[in-house]
Structure formats: C-alpha cells, structure tokens
Amino acid sequence: MVKRWNTAKQVAEKAWEMGRSDPRKIVFSAKMGLALTLISFLIYLKEPFKDLIRYSVWAILTVVVVFEFSIGATLSKGFNRGLGTFSAAGLALAMAELSKLAEDWQRLMIIVNIFTVGFCATYAKIYPTLKPYEYGFRVFLITYCFITVSGYRTGEFLNTAINRFLLIALGASVSLGVNICIYPIWAGEDLHNLVTKNFIGVATSLEGVVNHYLQCVEYKKVPSKILIYQASDDPVYSGYRSAVESKSKEDALMGFAVWEPPHGRYNMFRYPWKNYVKVSGALRHCAFTVMAMHGCILSEIQAPAEKRLVFRSEVQRVGCEGARVLRELGSKVKKMEKLGPGDLLFEVHVAAEQLQRKIDQKSYLLVNSESWEIGNRPIEDEESDPQQEGKFLEHKSRSEAVLDLRMVEVPHSWEGNVTLADNPPTDASPNMFRKELSWPDQIYQKSNPVAKEGQESKTYESATSLSLATFISLLIEFVARLQNLVDSFEELGETANFFDPLDQRPPV
Amino acid sequence: MVKRWNTAKQVAEKAWEMGRSDPRKIVFSAKMGLALTLISFLIYLKEPFKDLIRYSVWAILTVVVVFEFSIGATLSKGFNRGLGTFSAAGLALAMAELSKLAEDWQRLMIIVNIFTVGFCATYAKIYPTLKPYEYGFRVFLITYCFITVSGYRTGEFLNTAINRFLLIALGASVSLGVNICIYPIWAGEDLHNLVTKNFIGVATSLEGVVNHYLQCVEYKKVPSKILIYQASDDPVYSGYRSAVESKSKEDALMGFAVWEPPHGRYNMFRYPWKNYVKVSGALRHCAFTVMAMHGCILSEIQAPAEKRLVFRSEVQRVGCEGARVLRELGSKVKKMEKLGPGDLLFEVHVAAEQLQRKIDQKSYLLVNSESWEIGNRPIEDEESDPQQEGKFLEHKSRSEAVLDLRMVEVPHSWEGNVTLADNPPTDASPNMFRKELSWPDQIYQKSNPVAKEGQESKTYESATSLSLATFISLLIEFVARLQNLVDSFEELGETANFFDPLDQRPPV
C-alpha cells in the first residue's frame, strides 16, 4: 500500500516536472480538452439539426485524430483526412451508381468492389514513396466501406456522404481553429531548437572527450549501454549520441514544418527547412569523429599519460577552439544570423596547424622505435651538430639503449614478405629464420588458456602509442570537417535570408 | 501525355518489383481486402439484427485501424483498442449516472467532464513512458466522448456502449482471425532477418573499406549525401549506414515482437527479443569503427600509396578475417546456432597480432621523421652491424638526406613550450628565435586569400602518414570490439536456446 502510494507520488512528480520543463505540453492538453468541449456543444442542438447528433461520431473522431501537437502535423493530417474522405466518397458514389445497374447482382458486386478497393489501397499504402500518406489511405478505406455498406441499407448514398462530410468539416475546423488560434505550437520552431541543441551537445561532447583524454580518464568498465549503443547518462556520450540519433526526429519535424504557413521569424513562403536538416547532417558528420575520439577513451588500448601530456596544450587548444566554433555556429543558427566578416575557422585552423607541427616534431613519441626493422637509433651518434641538438640526442639515445636490450620482435613472414618487394631487397633472411622458430611457440601460448590473457595484452601493448596518433589524427579530421559544416551553414543563411550582422552597424 | 504514360509505367513497374521482392506485401493487401469483404457481409443481415448496420462503422473502423502488417502490431493495437474502449465505456457510464443526479446542470456537467477527461488523457498520452499506448488513449477519448454525447441524446447510454462493443469485437475478431490464420507475418521474423542483414551489411562495408583503402580509391568529390549523412548508393557506405540507422526500426519491431505468441522457430514463452536488439547494438558499436575507417578514405588527408602497400597483406588479412567473423556470426544468428567449440576470433586475433608486429617494425613509415625536434637520423651511420641492417640503414639515411635539405619547420611557442617542461631542458632558444620570426609571416599568408589554399594543404600534408596509422589503429580497435559482439551473441544463444552444433554429431 505504502509502495503504491510512493509510486503514485513519483509518477505525479514526474508528470509535474514534465509540465514545468515544457509548459507547451500543458497548453496542448488544455487545447485538446477545449476542442472536445466545443464539439460536445452539439448536444445543445435544437430540432431541425437534432438528427445530426447521430453522426456526431464523425466530428469527435476527426477532432481526436487530427489534433496533433504541432500545427504542421495537424494540417498534414487534416489534409490527408480531407483528401481521403473526398476521393473515397466520390469513388463510393460512382460505384454505387454502377452497382445499381447490376440489379440482382448488386450485393455481390458491392462485395467484390470492396475487396478490390481494399487490396489496391493497402498495396499503395505500403508503397515507399506514399508512406507519408498512410493515414490518408486508412481514411479512404474507412469512408469507402462505410458509405458503401450503410448506403446500401438506406439507399441514401448521397445523404450519408454529405452528412459525414459536414461533420468532418466541423470537426476539422474546430480542431484547426483551436490549435492554430490559441498558442500555436510550431514544428518548425521545434526543428530549429533541435538543431541548435545538437550543436551544443556536440560541443560539450568534444570538450568532454578532449579533457577526459588529457586527464587520462579511463572507464573502469565501459558502461554496457555504450557497448550496445543505448542511451546512457554519461554526458560526453549523450551529447554526440543525441545529435546522431536525432536524424529520424528531424525528418519527422521537417515533414510537418513544410506544411506550416509563414509565421513569426520564419516569415517566408517555402521556408528552407530542408537546409536545417542539412546543417544538422553536416554536424552529424562531425559528431562521428567525436564519437571515434570517444572510442579512443573507451578502448582497452590506452596511450601512456606522459605522452599525452606532451601534446596537452595543443590538443586542448584545438578542442577548445573546435567547441567554440560549434557553439558560435549554434548561437548563429539560434539567432538566425549570418557569419561575421572574419574567418570563423581561422583560430581553429591555426590551432590545428600548431598541433600538426608539434606532431611532426615529436612523432617519434607516437611509435615504438624499439623494434624497427631498419635498426634502432645507433647508441652513440656522431653529434654532427652538437650545439643545437646534442643534448636531446644524447638523452634519446640513452633511453633507447635500454630498450635495445630487449629482443626485437619480428612478425611471421607468410605474406608479409610479398609486400616488402617494393622496399629494396635486403639480406633479412637470417632474421626470418629466427621468426619462423618463435611463431609456433606463440600459437601454442595462445591456445593455452592461462597464457592467453597475457599474450593478448602483449599484442595490444605496442598499439598504445598509435592510439595517441589516432586520437590526434581524428581531432584534425574533425577540424577538416568543420569546413563542410560552415558551408552548409552559409547555404542555410543564404536560402533562409538570415540577418546580416553587418547591417546592424551604424553607417560609417 | 507520353510523359504521363511513362510515369505511370514506371510506377507500375516499381509496384510490381515491390511485390516480387517481398510477396508478403501482396499477401497482406489481399488479406486486408478479405477482412473488409467479410465485414461487409453485414449487408446480408436479416431482420432482427438489421438495425446493427447502423453501427457498422465501428466494425469497419476497427478492421481498418487494427489490421497491421505484422501479427505483433495487430495484437498490440487490438489490445490498445480493447482496453481504451472498455475503460472509456466504464468511465462514461459512471459519469452518466453521476450527471443524472445533477438534474438541471446535467449538460454543463457533461461538458465539464469532457474537458477534464480530454485534458487528462492527452497529458497522459504525451507522458514518455506511456508513448507506446498513445493509440489506446486516442480510442479512449473517442469512445468516451461518443458515448457521452450520443448517450445524452437517446438516454440509452448502456445500449450505445453495448452495441458499439459488439461491433468492435466483431471487427477485431475478423481482423485477428484473417491476419493470424492466413499466412501470418511475424514481426519477430522481421527483426531476426534485419539483424542478420545488418551483419552482412557491416561485413560488406568492412571488406569494401579495406579494399578501397589498399587500392587507394579516392573520392574525386565526396558525395554530398555522405557529408550530411543521408542515404546514398555507395555500397560501402550504405552497408554500415543501414546497420547504424536500423536502431529505431529494431526498437519498433521489438515492441511488436513481444506481443507475438510462440511460433515456428521461436517456440518459447517470453522469447528474448531484447537480446537480438542487444546483439545488433554491439554490431553497431563495431560498425562505428568501420564508419571511422571509411572516414579515412573520405578525408582530404590521404596516406601515400606506397606506404599503404607495405602493410597490404596484413591489413587485407585482418579485413578478410574480420568480415569472415561477421558473416559467420550473421549466419549463426540466421540458423539460430550456438558457436562451435573453436575460438571464432582466433584467426582474426592472429591476423591483428601480425599486423601489430608489422607496425612495430615499420612504424617509422607512419611518421615524418624529417622534422623531429630531436634531430634527424645522422646521414652517415656508424654501421655498427653492417651484416644485418646495413643496407637498410643506408637506404633510409639517403632518403632522409634529401629531406634534410628542406627547412625544418618548428611550431610557434606560445603554449607549446610549457608542455615541453617534462622533457629535459634544452638549449633550443636560438631555434625559438627563428620560429618567432617565421610565424607572423605565415599568419600573413593565411589572411592572404590567394596563399590560403596552399597554406592549408601544407598544414595537412604532413598528416598523411598519420592517417595510415589511424586507419590501422581503427582496424585493430574494430577487432577488439568483436569480443563484445561475440559476448552478446553468446548471451543471445543462451537465452534463446539456440541449437548446439555439437548435438548434431553422432555419439562417439
């Protein structure tokens, strides 16, 4: 009993929270209540029309079915319903006239007709390009069958059709009136906000990923929800995930938004909603690299912390600048403003360039030189330029001298040798022989369950430094993809007639 | 005219093609026609029941609305409809009795009730956890309003409710009967096939990506559809994309499949459809690395062909083995068979290990040593071990000797220097000075629109080799993620009681 009470309390709290966070939902519910109330005023109808109540079901049906959250959805459903009803009524009347000619076979003909129409309409309904009109086909079928069947009973095909149509028109006008005139909720506005939100989400994820990576945050156990790509609380993950996942939502909203008349800030016929979806698609293309970077954190292959630290400030800067660009674009989309005169990407390109240079200089950190086939760095260098690079070299050489003591591991040669052909031929054969011997040994270890774990970790161990290279490379790829995003944004700005920030300036 | 004729021909051809590729769609349409035909036999009703035709709309409505493609969807909609009708009827009757007590205020009370019920039901409908029952709420509203309004007119609340219920029951039983008894179409079967298809798709993409990468296929212009993540014909792209995109479809199918009774190969109560979705989620997690690998092909940063060739056979082998594992798992899912005794991942792990070794040896190819801060490889080595490595070194040194002639590019030092702190302090200051001078020069070039292009390409030029490292690293990450996939598959095999291939063997 107490438990139930608690559950009820929780549900009530959640419901309250839902209303508080999006008051439009409360307004929508109230509007629905109002529309139904208006329709039920039918009960006040006096005599000559009193008979209409018998058909009141059509008006109620129309209100409940057509009344959707956004104006666009309401209009598109209303249109579907109207079109379905009209064409079905026309067809049914024509068929009725035809079947009257059949005299004795009338009933049979009606039934055959219903089968044929049912088959064709259903087949058309599942035809891919007609998917959006699915609802219209349903209405078509209902109307056709109803008029045919009930018309047969009364013989008043036309009367049935007209009454039905009147009440549907009444229901539709009540719902459209209430829905559009009182606090309209626009699908286009929702689409606009969704795109803006995606920008913020990806920017947050990017920052999170870069910071986590530099702080060497590791998942003790990767949340299983991430492994099977389900929603999870992790803010880094949910940021890009919601941008990636919102595709179908965007398409649906766009489908509704195109039905909406020009309104508010979207004051233009044929408003380019498509371009919002395009911008969001380009953002998604960027989000995929953020996702891949996050993969570097999720991976069991982790670059050592000290190596990450070397690139810390550059990586951090690229991350910050990248996120800044995303936020900037997001706020431009929100404010519906064109790009300013400067190059938005300038800073992030400089940062990426700087990172690139740093890598160029320090790429020895990204690889394991200890097992290079071409031999390790000689222990004592000639120190040809002692002033500039001497100390550095000495330091490096010593550290490698230690590494040199380990056995050089060389891979098995089955196919490996073939591709070596485009390197100059070497006298590597003695080496090969050693490999051939050591390989079966490892195979054996592998099939030995105790040794397996160790063997595997050894395999991935040397990949750790490459993982850093991957992260950085993905970050740079992210920056490269920003151009595409900016291009889509500019296209949107042009087609949607975004406001030019330069116009605001006082004339010089 | 000719044009229209052609369009019509095309549509007809496509419709025919749709039917040929999935004959279930034709069957479904015919079933729908049949159900409607059966319902329209109402017109043959003789006297005492003849009045029922007046309510025939309910039966027709129920058939059209409840009749869905799969059994699960039909059952869940039927249940929703039944529940909605029942509870609405109950509430409406109770309210009617109550409002009778109000006497003079009866009408007002009815209208207030309708508003309240409409508000509450709509608000509940958009409450997230109740989303799947959205349809039930609609039916609830329709029924409640209809009974209240038309009951008021006739005063026969109970009669209206009962007639309505009878015809809905008739419609529901006709559609369920036809839909289940004649060639049933199961949502579970669809889910099963979808998951299988995803495996094949990702495997194809993986092979395609690896082959394209090794053949250095480049997109002259990246298809803009890929850049904004829309469906495209590219087989490599569409393979992983459909696996990534199928999430919502899977969720919908799962929602229907849980309604389906045990049938055919899924002969078990509470069949673990959830695990199919889990396996598909784990596959999606793998598909994301394939997507990131494809990103390496789409990128403007391209590794030189000769370097790719060095790793050719190893990369190829990992790709083939990875695809083989996916296909194998896909066919196991299809045949509903557990894993065999061997380690499915053994071969792919060996291949990955081999690739890893090769990288270890050849990682100098993945970086640009020409601009190492620690100095380039000295031009003339001591040739301490001339027998084994001499020729190689000589070759390498010479190629670098050429590179050495170029100016060494060093990055700007703002923040870069801070992170150098964990390297031993060096006398790099003279170098710094040179940099400081060259940097503003580049900034200038950058703001110069003509030079901009060249500058940018220079920035990315040196990333080319790292791009190869990224590709390989992602490939290895892909292999690492396979383990998770295999685990999910094993869980599915356990819970869904997959057939054990060992049982087939004759007893020894």
Side-chain angles (χ1 to χ4, degrees), chain A residues 46-71:
Chain A
K46 288 279 176 313
E47 248 321 311
F49 303 108
K50 208 173 176 185
D51 233 31
L52 265 185
I53 306 193
R54 205 201 297 169
Y55 302 104
S56 62
V57 62
W58 294 112
I60 295 171
L61 206 69
T62 307
V63 170
V64 171
V65 163
V66 162
F67 212 91
E68 290 278 338
F69 194 64
S70 68
I71 307 294

PDB file of all heavy atoms in Angstrom, chain A residues 46-71:
ATOM      1  N   LYS A  46     -30.771  22.245 -31.426  1.00  0.00           N
ATOM      2  CA  LYS A  46     -32.241  22.168 -31.360  1.00  0.00           C
ATOM      3  C   LYS A  46     -32.791  21.479 -32.609  1.00  0.00           C
ATOM      4  O   LYS A  46     -32.056  21.146 -33.533  1.00  0.00           O
ATOM      5  CB  LYS A  46     -32.811  23.585 -31.230  1.00  0.00           C
ATOM      6  CG  LYS A  46     -32.573  24.208 -29.866  1.00  0.00           C
ATOM      7  CD  LYS A  46     -33.623  23.696 -28.881  1.00  0.00           C
ATOM      8  CE  LYS A  46     -33.434  24.185 -27.453  1.00  0.00           C
ATOM      9  NZ  LYS A  46     -32.110  24.108 -26.872  1.00  0.00           N
ATOM     10  N   GLU A  47     -34.119  21.380 -32.680  1.00  0.00           N
ATOM     11  CA  GLU A  47     -34.760  20.457 -33.596  1.00  0.00           C
ATOM     12  C   GLU A  47     -34.184  20.229 -35.007  1.00  0.00           C
ATOM     13  O   GLU A  47     -33.489  19.247 -35.169  1.00  0.00           O
ATOM     14  CB  GLU A  47     -36.271  20.674 -33.661  1.00  0.00           C
ATOM     15  CG  GLU A  47     -37.068  19.513 -33.074  1.00  0.00           C
ATOM     16  CD  GLU A  47     -36.508  18.132 -33.388  1.00  0.00           C
ATOM     17  OE1 GLU A  47     -36.211  17.858 -34.554  1.00  0.00           O
ATOM     18  OE2 GLU A  47     -36.373  17.301 -32.467  1.00  0.00           O
ATOM     19  N   PRO A  48     -34.380  21.115 -35.971  1.00  0.00           N
ATOM     20  CA  PRO A  48     -34.175  20.536 -37.315  1.00  0.00           C
ATOM     21  C   PRO A  48     -32.817  19.828 -37.440  1.00  0.00           C
ATOM     22  O   PRO A  48     -32.677  18.888 -38.200  1.00  0.00           O
ATOM     23  CB  PRO A  48     -34.264  21.756 -38.242  1.00  0.00           C
ATOM     24  CG  PRO A  48     -33.998  22.930 -37.370  1.00  0.00           C
ATOM     25  CD  PRO A  48     -34.536  22.564 -36.021  1.00  0.00           C
ATOM     26  N   PHE A  49     -31.835  20.270 -36.643  1.00  0.00           N
ATOM     27  CA  PHE A  49     -30.496  19.668 -36.769  1.00  0.00           C
ATOM     28  C   PHE A  49     -30.262  18.534 -35.779  1.00  0.00           C
ATOM     29  O   PHE A  49     -29.214  17.920 -35.801  1.00  0.00           O
ATOM     30  CB  PHE A  49     -29.436  20.746 -36.565  1.00  0.00           C
ATOM     31  CG  PHE A  49     -29.594  21.889 -37.517  1.00  0.00           C
ATOM     32  CD1 PHE A  49     -30.046  23.132 -37.096  1.00  0.00           C
ATOM     33  CD2 PHE A  49     -29.309  21.702 -38.874  1.00  0.00           C
ATOM     34  CE1 PHE A  49     -30.195  24.170 -37.985  1.00  0.00           C
ATOM     35  CE2 PHE A  49     -29.466  22.749 -39.769  1.00  0.00           C
ATOM     36  CZ  PHE A  49     -29.902  23.990 -39.326  1.00  0.00           C
ATOM     37  N   LYS A  50     -31.288  18.333 -34.917  1.00  0.00           N
ATOM     38  CA  LYS A  50     -31.026  17.390 -33.837  1.00  0.00           C
ATOM     39  C   LYS A  50     -30.568  16.028 -34.352  1.00  0.00           C
ATOM     40  O   LYS A  50     -29.800  15.327 -33.690  1.00  0.00           O
ATOM     41  CB  LYS A  50     -32.278  17.224 -32.961  1.00  0.00           C
ATOM     42  CG  LYS A  50     -31.895  16.849 -31.536  1.00  0.00           C
ATOM     43  CD  LYS A  50     -33.074  16.832 -30.614  1.00  0.00           C
ATOM     44  CE  LYS A  50     -32.569  16.344 -29.244  1.00  0.00           C
ATOM     45  NZ  LYS A  50     -33.661  16.181 -28.302  1.00  0.00           N
ATOM     46  N   ASP A  51     -31.025  15.720 -35.539  1.00  0.00           N
ATOM     47  CA  ASP A  51     -30.680  14.418 -36.116  1.00  0.00           C
ATOM     48  C   ASP A  51     -29.182  14.274 -36.388  1.00  0.00           C
ATOM     49  O   ASP A  51     -28.671  13.156 -36.478  1.00  0.00           O
ATOM     50  CB  ASP A  51     -31.455  14.219 -37.422  1.00  0.00           C
ATOM     51  CG  ASP A  51     -32.208  12.906 -37.374  1.00  0.00           C
ATOM     52  OD1 ASP A  51     -32.603  12.518 -36.249  1.00  0.00           O
ATOM     53  OD2 ASP A  51     -32.384  12.292 -38.431  1.00  0.00           O
ATOM     54  N   LEU A  52     -28.559  15.410 -36.501  1.00  0.00           N
ATOM     55  CA  LEU A  52     -27.126  15.382 -36.823  1.00  0.00           C
ATOM     56  C   LEU A  52     -26.312  14.669 -35.740  1.00  0.00           C
ATOM     57  O   LEU A  52     -25.253  14.110 -36.018  1.00  0.00           O
ATOM     58  CB  LEU A  52     -26.598  16.805 -36.984  1.00  0.00           C
ATOM     59  CG  LEU A  52     -26.547  17.379 -38.397  1.00  0.00           C
ATOM     60  CD1 LEU A  52     -25.896  18.730 -38.369  1.00  0.00           C
ATOM     61  CD2 LEU A  52     -25.772  16.434 -39.325  1.00  0.00           C
ATOM     62  N   ILE A  53     -26.826  14.736 -34.495  1.00  0.00           N
ATOM     63  CA  ILE A  53     -26.054  14.132 -33.405  1.00  0.00           C
ATOM     64  C   ILE A  53     -25.762  12.664 -33.710  1.00  0.00           C
ATOM     65  O   ILE A  53     -24.760  12.114 -33.287  1.00  0.00           O
ATOM     66  CB  ILE A  53     -26.796  14.231 -32.059  1.00  0.00           C
ATOM     67  CG1 ILE A  53     -27.170  15.676 -31.768  1.00  0.00           C
ATOM     68  CG2 ILE A  53     -25.893  13.721 -30.942  1.00  0.00           C
ATOM     69  CD1 ILE A  53     -27.616  15.873 -30.349  1.00  0.00           C
ATOM     70  N   ARG A  54     -26.693  12.073 -34.464  1.00  0.00           N
ATOM     71  CA  ARG A  54     -26.487  10.662 -34.779  1.00  0.00           C
ATOM     72  C   ARG A  54     -25.132  10.442 -35.460  1.00  0.00           C
ATOM     73  O   ARG A  54     -24.487   9.415 -35.306  1.00  0.00           O
ATOM     74  CB  ARG A  54     -27.619  10.184 -35.696  1.00  0.00           C
ATOM     75  CG  ARG A  54     -27.833   8.691 -35.577  1.00  0.00           C
ATOM     76  CD  ARG A  54     -28.529   8.160 -36.781  1.00  0.00           C
ATOM     77  NE  ARG A  54     -29.882   8.733 -36.927  1.00  0.00           N
ATOM     78  CZ  ARG A  54     -30.600   8.580 -38.040  1.00  0.00           C
ATOM     79  NH1 ARG A  54     -30.119   7.940 -39.076  1.00  0.00           N
ATOM     80  NH2 ARG A  54     -31.790   9.118 -38.117  1.00  0.00           N
ATOM     81  N   TYR A  55     -24.743  11.465 -36.208  1.00  0.00           N
ATOM     82  CA  TYR A  55     -23.447  11.336 -36.907  1.00  0.00           C
ATOM     83  C   TYR A  55     -22.305  11.976 -36.133  1.00  0.00           C
ATOM     84  O   TYR A  55     -21.205  12.113 -36.647  1.00  0.00           O
ATOM     85  CB  TYR A  55     -23.542  11.981 -38.287  1.00  0.00           C
ATOM     86  CG  TYR A  55     -24.623  11.378 -39.149  1.00  0.00           C
ATOM     87  CD1 TYR A  55     -25.814  12.029 -39.361  1.00  0.00           C
ATOM     88  CD2 TYR A  55     -24.407  10.138 -39.745  1.00  0.00           C
ATOM     89  CE1 TYR A  55     -26.801  11.470 -40.145  1.00  0.00           C
ATOM     90  CE2 TYR A  55     -25.387   9.570 -40.528  1.00  0.00           C
ATOM     91  CZ  TYR A  55     -26.590  10.238 -40.727  1.00  0.00           C
ATOM     92  OH  TYR A  55     -27.556   9.663 -41.497  1.00  0.00           O
ATOM     93  N   SER A  56     -22.613  12.381 -34.884  1.00  0.00           N
ATOM     94  CA  SER A  56     -21.607  13.133 -34.121  1.00  0.00           C
ATOM     95  C   SER A  56     -20.284  12.389 -34.016  1.00  0.00           C
ATOM     96  O   SER A  56     -19.226  12.994 -33.860  1.00  0.00           O
ATOM     97  CB  SER A  56     -22.132  13.433 -32.722  1.00  0.00           C
ATOM     98  OG  SER A  56     -22.368  12.218 -32.037  1.00  0.00           O
ATOM     99  N   VAL A  57     -20.378  11.071 -34.133  1.00  0.00           N
ATOM    100  CA  VAL A  57     -19.132  10.305 -34.037  1.00  0.00           C
ATOM    101  C   VAL A  57     -18.077  10.796 -35.023  1.00  0.00           C
ATOM    102  O   VAL A  57     -16.899  10.809 -34.725  1.00  0.00           O
ATOM    103  CB  VAL A  57     -19.414   8.808 -34.236  1.00  0.00           C
ATOM    104  CG1 VAL A  57     -19.975   8.560 -35.616  1.00  0.00           C
ATOM    105  CG2 VAL A  57     -18.168   7.993 -34.031  1.00  0.00           C
ATOM    106  N   TRP A  58     -18.518  11.238 -36.184  1.00  0.00           N
ATOM    107  CA  TRP A  58     -17.530  11.663 -37.182  1.00  0.00           C
ATOM    108  C   TRP A  58     -16.778  12.908 -36.754  1.00  0.00           C
ATOM    109  O   TRP A  58     -15.584  13.031 -36.949  1.00  0.00           O
ATOM    110  CB  TRP A  58     -18.216  11.913 -38.525  1.00  0.00           C
ATOM    111  CG  TRP A  58     -18.769  10.646 -39.087  1.00  0.00           C
ATOM    112  CD1 TRP A  58     -20.082  10.333 -39.236  1.00  0.00           C
ATOM    113  CD2 TRP A  58     -18.020   9.514 -39.496  1.00  0.00           C
ATOM    114  NE1 TRP A  58     -20.208   9.072 -39.735  1.00  0.00           N
ATOM    115  CE2 TRP A  58     -18.949   8.537 -39.900  1.00  0.00           C
ATOM    116  CE3 TRP A  58     -16.664   9.214 -39.555  1.00  0.00           C
ATOM    117  CZ2 TRP A  58     -18.570   7.299 -40.359  1.00  0.00           C
ATOM    118  CZ3 TRP A  58     -16.290   7.979 -40.027  1.00  0.00           C
ATOM    119  CH2 TRP A  58     -17.228   7.034 -40.420  1.00  0.00           C
ATOM    120  N   ALA A  59     -17.542  13.819 -36.150  1.00  0.00           N
ATOM    121  CA  ALA A  59     -16.892  15.051 -35.692  1.00  0.00           C
ATOM    122  C   ALA A  59     -15.904  14.754 -34.572  1.00  0.00           C
ATOM    123  O   ALA A  59     -14.761  15.234 -34.574  1.00  0.00           O
ATOM    124  CB  ALA A  59     -17.955  16.030 -35.222  1.00  0.00           C
ATOM    125  N   ILE A  60     -16.340  13.923 -33.630  1.00  0.00           N
ATOM    126  CA  ILE A  60     -15.464  13.588 -32.500  1.00  0.00           C
ATOM    127  C   ILE A  60     -14.212  12.871 -32.995  1.00  0.00           C
ATOM    128  O   ILE A  60     -13.078  13.180 -32.617  1.00  0.00           O
ATOM    129  CB  ILE A  60     -16.226  12.709 -31.494  1.00  0.00           C
ATOM    130  CG1 ILE A  60     -17.381  13.513 -30.883  1.00  0.00           C
ATOM    131  CG2 ILE A  60     -15.293  12.220 -30.412  1.00  0.00           C
ATOM    132  CD1 ILE A  60     -18.308  12.685 -30.043  1.00  0.00           C
ATOM    133  N   LEU A  61     -14.455  11.918 -33.870  1.00  0.00           N
ATOM    134  CA  LEU A  61     -13.350  11.152 -34.446  1.00  0.00           C
ATOM    135  C   LEU A  61     -12.338  12.090 -35.089  1.00  0.00           C
ATOM    136  O   LEU A  61     -11.124  11.969 -34.877  1.00  0.00           O
ATOM    137  CB  LEU A  61     -13.937  10.229 -35.513  1.00  0.00           C
ATOM    138  CG  LEU A  61     -13.188   8.960 -35.821  1.00  0.00           C
ATOM    139  CD1 LEU A  61     -13.286   8.047 -34.631  1.00  0.00           C
ATOM    140  CD2 LEU A  61     -13.801   8.289 -37.039  1.00  0.00           C
ATOM    141  N   THR A  62     -12.849  13.016 -35.871  1.00  0.00           N
ATOM    142  CA  THR A  62     -11.962  13.919 -36.582  1.00  0.00           C
ATOM    143  C   THR A  62     -11.131  14.742 -35.611  1.00  0.00           C
ATOM    144  O   THR A  62      -9.918  14.886 -35.773  1.00  0.00           O
ATOM    145  CB  THR A  62     -12.784  14.853 -37.490  1.00  0.00           C
ATOM    146  OG1 THR A  62     -13.612  14.051 -38.304  1.00  0.00           O
ATOM    147  CG2 THR A  62     -11.876  15.681 -38.358  1.00  0.00           C
ATOM    148  N   VAL A  63     -11.778  15.254 -34.595  1.00  0.00           N
ATOM    149  CA  VAL A  63     -11.043  16.076 -33.631  1.00  0.00           C
ATOM    150  C   VAL A  63      -9.932  15.254 -32.974  1.00  0.00           C
ATOM    151  O   VAL A  63      -8.768  15.663 -32.935  1.00  0.00           O
ATOM    152  CB  VAL A  63     -11.995  16.648 -32.556  1.00  0.00           C
ATOM    153  CG1 VAL A  63     -11.192  17.277 -31.437  1.00  0.00           C
ATOM    154  CG2 VAL A  63     -12.901  17.676 -33.167  1.00  0.00           C
ATOM    155  N   VAL A  64     -10.314  14.092 -32.470  1.00  0.00           N
ATOM    156  CA  VAL A  64      -9.315  13.308 -31.729  1.00  0.00           C
ATOM    157  C   VAL A  64      -8.163  12.905 -32.643  1.00  0.00           C
ATOM    158  O   VAL A  64      -6.993  12.920 -32.251  1.00  0.00           O
ATOM    159  CB  VAL A  64      -9.972  12.055 -31.111  1.00  0.00           C
ATOM    160  CG1 VAL A  64      -8.919  11.147 -30.530  1.00  0.00           C
ATOM    161  CG2 VAL A  64     -10.949  12.457 -30.042  1.00  0.00           C
ATOM    162  N   VAL A  65      -8.475  12.553 -33.873  1.00  0.00           N
ATOM    163  CA  VAL A  65      -7.440  12.021 -34.747  1.00  0.00           C
ATOM    164  C   VAL A  65      -6.575  13.128 -35.351  1.00  0.00           C
ATOM    165  O   VAL A  65      -5.369  12.984 -35.487  1.00  0.00           O
ATOM    166  CB  VAL A  65      -8.107  11.160 -35.843  1.00  0.00           C
ATOM    167  CG1 VAL A  65      -7.168  10.936 -36.981  1.00  0.00           C
ATOM    168  CG2 VAL A  65      -8.528   9.834 -35.260  1.00  0.00           C
ATOM    169  N   VAL A  66      -7.221  14.244 -35.685  1.00  0.00           N
ATOM    170  CA  VAL A  66      -6.474  15.293 -36.379  1.00  0.00           C
ATOM    171  C   VAL A  66      -5.656  16.159 -35.423  1.00  0.00           C
ATOM    172  O   VAL A  66      -4.628  16.701 -35.788  1.00  0.00           O
ATOM    173  CB  VAL A  66      -7.464  16.162 -37.191  1.00  0.00           C
ATOM    174  CG1 VAL A  66      -6.854  17.475 -37.576  1.00  0.00           C
ATOM    175  CG2 VAL A  66      -7.894  15.411 -38.437  1.00  0.00           C
ATOM    176  N   PHE A  67      -6.119  16.262 -34.193  1.00  0.00           N
ATOM    177  CA  PHE A  67      -5.482  17.171 -33.249  1.00  0.00           C
ATOM    178  C   PHE A  67      -4.085  16.665 -32.869  1.00  0.00           C
ATOM    179  O   PHE A  67      -3.946  15.739 -32.074  1.00  0.00           O
ATOM    180  CB  PHE A  67      -6.344  17.276 -32.004  1.00  0.00           C
ATOM    181  CG  PHE A  67      -6.278  18.622 -31.356  1.00  0.00           C
ATOM    182  CD1 PHE A  67      -7.170  19.607 -31.706  1.00  0.00           C
ATOM    183  CD2 PHE A  67      -5.316  18.915 -30.415  1.00  0.00           C
ATOM    184  CE1 PHE A  67      -7.121  20.854 -31.121  1.00  0.00           C
ATOM    185  CE2 PHE A  67      -5.255  20.164 -29.827  1.00  0.00           C
ATOM    186  CZ  PHE A  67      -6.149  21.142 -30.172  1.00  0.00           C
ATOM    187  N   GLU A  68      -3.082  17.294 -33.433  1.00  0.00           N
ATOM    188  CA  GLU A  68      -1.712  16.865 -33.135  1.00  0.00           C
ATOM    189  C   GLU A  68      -0.957  17.978 -32.421  1.00  0.00           C
ATOM    190  O   GLU A  68      -1.408  19.122 -32.398  1.00  0.00           O
ATOM    191  CB  GLU A  68      -0.984  16.507 -34.429  1.00  0.00           C
ATOM    192  CG  GLU A  68      -1.493  15.253 -35.091  1.00  0.00           C
ATOM    193  CD  GLU A  68      -0.896  14.006 -34.474  1.00  0.00           C
ATOM    194  OE1 GLU A  68       0.168  14.103 -33.862  1.00  0.00           O
ATOM    195  OE2 GLU A  68      -1.520  12.938 -34.615  1.00  0.00           O
ATOM    196  N   PHE A  69       0.193  17.623 -31.890  1.00  0.00           N
ATOM    197  CA  PHE A  69       0.962  18.574 -31.087  1.00  0.00           C
ATOM    198  C   PHE A  69       1.296  19.846 -31.864  1.00  0.00           C
ATOM    199  O   PHE A  69       1.078  20.951 -31.387  1.00  0.00           O
ATOM    200  CB  PHE A  69       2.228  17.883 -30.607  1.00  0.00           C
ATOM    201  CG  PHE A  69       2.939  18.611 -29.513  1.00  0.00           C
ATOM    202  CD1 PHE A  69       2.331  18.780 -28.279  1.00  0.00           C
ATOM    203  CD2 PHE A  69       4.203  19.123 -29.697  1.00  0.00           C
ATOM    204  CE1 PHE A  69       2.977  19.455 -27.250  1.00  0.00           C
ATOM    205  CE2 PHE A  69       4.858  19.796 -28.674  1.00  0.00           C
ATOM    206  CZ  PHE A  69       4.234  19.960 -27.453  1.00  0.00           C
ATOM    207  N   SER A  70       1.828  19.670 -33.080  1.00  0.00           N
ATOM    208  CA  SER A  70       2.249  20.864 -33.811  1.00  0.00           C
ATOM    209  C   SER A  70       1.259  21.213 -34.912  1.00  0.00           C
ATOM    210  O   SER A  70       0.492  20.367 -35.377  1.00  0.00           O
ATOM    211  CB  SER A  70       3.634  20.647 -34.417  1.00  0.00           C
ATOM    212  OG  SER A  70       3.565  19.685 -35.425  1.00  0.00           O
ATOM    213  N   ILE A  71       1.300  22.469 -35.340  1.00  0.00           N
ATOM    214  CA  ILE A  71       0.409  22.930 -36.392  1.00  0.00           C
ATOM    215  C   ILE A  71       0.639  22.143 -37.674  1.00  0.00           C
ATOM    216  O   ILE A  71      -0.306  21.726 -38.342  1.00  0.00           O
ATOM    217  CB  ILE A  71       0.675  24.421 -36.681  1.00  0.00           C
ATOM    218  CG1 ILE A  71       0.597  25.228 -35.401  1.00  0.00           C
ATOM    219  CG2 ILE A  71      -0.297  24.951 -37.711  1.00  0.00           C
ATOM    220  CD1 ILE A  71      -0.738  25.272 -34.796  1.00  0.00           C
TER     221      ILE A  71
END
